[in-house]
Amino acid sequence: PISGLAKRFTHESQLPVLSLDGPVHGLRQVGDGARGAFFPEFHRQDSLTDMVDDWTCAITEIQLLAEVGVGKLAYMGLSMGSIYGIPLLASRTDVTVATLGLFGVQASFPHAEEFIAAAAKIACPLLFLMQLEDELFERDGYLKIFDLFASLDKRLHANPGLHPEIPGEEIDLAFDFLNGHINGTSVRRIVNPLAQ
């Protein structure tokens, strides 16, 4: 879904997109590039710092391009994209909207305290996606990290299914959510009272 979403931003919205591989995936693939390769990397002490530094460097380099420049940033990262995206977003002040999810924090996880501290620094509008039968992250862990986000406009969307079974309509919603905040057309309407 990431390449499809990137094409929508470049074609429909005429916005530049930077799509980055996480460790052991894509062009950085190690072994099969799946969970077996990722878990040793995730446990490594400097895993978060190294990837945040890597992605920060990539963002800086692309902003030097005349056709890109410096402007509003939006971020979308699910699963590994949240694992590294949460500390990335916490380190920046120029991200105006984000979609995160497929991640929860648990005391037994590596870097749990880092995630807790980072989540509390994220204050941009946020859409957070959750899978109710996720085999990797517990429901309580999802809710814990969601509650920690400092965003005044944060939304939790939960769907049945395992970790990789996120519905396609949630990706469409993520596009609309991000795009609306980037171009200034997103208005949050609260219907109150809903019923008398």
Side-chain angles (χ1 to χ4, degrees):
I2 301 303
S3 59
L5 191 61
K7 286 179 183 175
R8 289 187 69 184
F9 279 111
T10 58
H11 291 87
E12 292 178 34
S13 303
Q14 304 297 303
L15 293 169
V17 172
L18 176 61
S19 180
L20 296 167
D21 291 324
V24 310
H25 282 59
L27 295 177
R28 307 175 198 246
Q29 184 169 329
V30 172
D32 64 0
R35 294 175 186 176
F38 175 67
F39 289 133
E41 170 60 24
F42 180 47
H43 282 78
R44 192 171 58 80
Q45 181 177 349
D46 294 327
S47 181
L48 299 184
T49 302
D50 289 348
M51 194 52 51
V52 167
D53 289 347
D54 182 285
W55 288 359
T56 298
C57 180
I59 292 167
T60 300
E61 287 297 314
I62 200 162
Q63 287 178 328
L64 294 174
L65 299 174
E67 62 271 28
V68 176
V70 177
K72 295 180 182 178
L73 291 182
Y75 181 86
M76 175 157 181
L78 301 176
S79 192
M80 186 188 302
S82 285
I83 288 172
Y84 296 103
I86 289 171
L88 175 71
L89 296 180
S91 74
R92 304 188 68 91
T93 59
D94 55 354
V95 178
T96 59
V97 61
T99 295
L100 298 168
L102 302 186
F103 174 71
V105 67
Q106 289 142 220
S108 61
F109 271 27
H111 317 292
E113 293 304 315
E114 291 174 73
F115 290 122
I116 289 168
K121 295 178 182 177
I122 298 172
C124 64
L126 178 68
L127 174 64
F128 193 71
L129 305 179
M130 174 180 181
Q131 288 298 100
L132 293 170
E133 285 79 43
D134 196 319
E135 71 278 16
L136 299 179
F137 302 104
E138 298 170 0
R139 287 187 188 191
D140 287 348
Y142 268 105
L143 297 176
K144 181 175 183 178
I145 199 80
F146 179 77
D147 287 342
L148 288 167
F149 293 125
S151 308
L152 296 178
D153 179 0
K154 59 182 180 180
R155 304 151 192 220
L156 174 68
H157 282 219
N159 291 280
L162 298 174
H163 185 77
E165 296 176 342
I166 190 162
E169 59 263 28
E170 291 290 6
I171 302 302
D172 294 337
L173 179 68
F175 172 81
D176 292 339
F177 181 78
L178 295 167
N179 199 45
H181 279 86
I182 294 167
N183 65 31
T185 60
S186 179
V187 177
R188 185 158 192 196
R189 296 183 312 112
I190 305 294
V191 179
N192 190 19
L194 182 60
Q196 295 287 339

